[in-house]
Amino acid sequence: LFPYTTLFRSSLETSGKQVVLAGRYVHPVWGKVSAASYIPYVRPQYSTEADVTVKFDSLMLVLSSSGDFVGDTTLQQRYFIHLLTEKIILNDNGYLYNNSSFAYEPEPLTVYSFIPSPRTSEKLEIRLPDKLGKDLLTRFHNHDESVAVNHFEDYFKGIVIIPDEQQSYSLL
């Protein structure tokens, strides 16, 4: 019996883990390893009446880092955040896999850079464009049918976090 086993699977279940794995790493033996994360967004609760005055402040994507990284964490990491143009739909068995992908806008909503802090649980606070936040707030406030509970995922399909392919750094 051998003490170590290598198993190659062409696809691994990745959905429903509540974890974002994104990054790019070049390994001397395995070559380039890259991961992007597709994130659907659940409609938030909103109950303010239309005659109440509201003021937009900001729209933030907040991710809590587990502190786990692979690779050189002294280098600045850069990620592109894009809006999805295709709804995330699970396979017939209710899962997504590491080879699943969905269409997204070619222009990023924003670009986010940071230097990771290994073994710490820092929060990554990524400001998204005010235009998107104001549009969502206006639609929620006006009770626009396009953002109603049964239509929201058709209107706002989610986002994807993509690593900068020009850099070689750790997986987040």
Side-chain angles (χ1 to χ4, degrees), residues 22-170:
R24 184 173 185 275
Y25 177 70
V26 178
H27 189 276
V29 175
W30 302 324
K32 182 181 95 164
V33 177
S34 186
S37 281
Y38 297 88
I39 305 169
Y41 189 79
V42 178
R43 185 189 185 279
Q45 295 292 322
Y46 189 88
S47 62
T48 304
E49 295 302 318
D51 61 346
V52 174
T53 302
V54 295
K55 183 177 178 185
F56 174 77
D57 178 68
S58 62
L59 178 62
M60 303 291 290
L61 170 64
V62 180
L63 304 171
S64 296
S65 172
S66 68
D68 295 332
F69 294 89
V70 174
D72 188 348
T73 58
T74 64
L75 300 176
Q76 184 175 33
Q77 315 288 304
R78 188 163 84 157
Y79 296 90
F80 300 96
I81 314 296
H82 294 262
L83 272 178
L84 292 177
T85 58
E86 182 180 2
K87 197 164 39 172
I88 296 175
I89 298 175
L90 301 178
N91 292 334
D92 291 340
N93 63 0
Y95 290 101
L96 294 180
Y97 292 87
N98 61 316
N99 56 2
S100 300
S101 65
F102 301 92
Y104 55 87
E105 292 285 342
E107 278 299 311
L109 283 173
T110 192
V111 178
Y112 182 73
S113 299
F114 74 105
I115 296 176
S117 300
R119 293 184 277 286
T120 63
S121 55
E122 67 181 316
K123 285 205 183 292
L124 305 177
E125 296 182 350
I126 305 166
R127 186 169 182 150
L128 299 177
D130 288 350
K131 181 180 178 182
L132 175 63
K134 288 176 182 177
D135 178 64
L136 285 169
L137 178 62
T138 300
R139 289 176 186 273
F140 285 133
H141 192 65
N142 292 333
H143 303 283
D144 187 319
E145 187 64 26
S146 67
V147 295
V149 173
N150 54 341
H151 297 286
F152 185 73
E153 68 179 13
D154 293 321
Y155 176 74
F156 190 84
K157 295 163 182 67
I159 60 169
V160 60
I161 301 174
I162 301 174
D164 183 347
E165 289 294 322
Q166 303 306 311
Q167 295 180 313
S168 177
Y169 46 72
S170 62

